[in-house]
Amino acid sequence: MTTADYRIESSQPIAGRFWPQAGSRHFAVSDRALAVSLAAKSFTHDSEIRVVHVPTGEVVFRKPAQRGEPGDEA
């Protein structure tokens, strides 16, 4: 059994095509690359998405809060 060394988290529900749990605010994975990829492809409504290395508490990736609705980029 593998341990989940990385946590993708946000203060708002996270959504996205590859997000495994619709409406969840966090998800644990064992691989850093997978965690960063999922976080980068996901979105929230006005909230930052972070990837945290659980054993150390270090934030290894941040996706800033996006204003507006997904797909509204001009």
Side-chain angles (χ1 to χ4, degrees), residues 25-70:
R25 291 186 171 143
H26 58 84
F27 187 71
V29 296
S30 59
D31 183 74
R32 180 179 178 153
L34 176 61
V36 171
S37 296
L38 278 173
K41 293 289 186 179
S42 300
F43 57 90
T44 63
H45 186 279
D46 297 334
S47 181
E48 176 182 72
I49 298 175
R50 296 170 298 279
V51 174
V52 178
H53 183 239
V54 174
T56 64
E58 176 187 6
V59 176
V60 297
F61 177 81
R62 289 178 194 256
K63 182 176 180 180
Q66 296 175 329
R67 302 291 179 226
E69 294 297 317

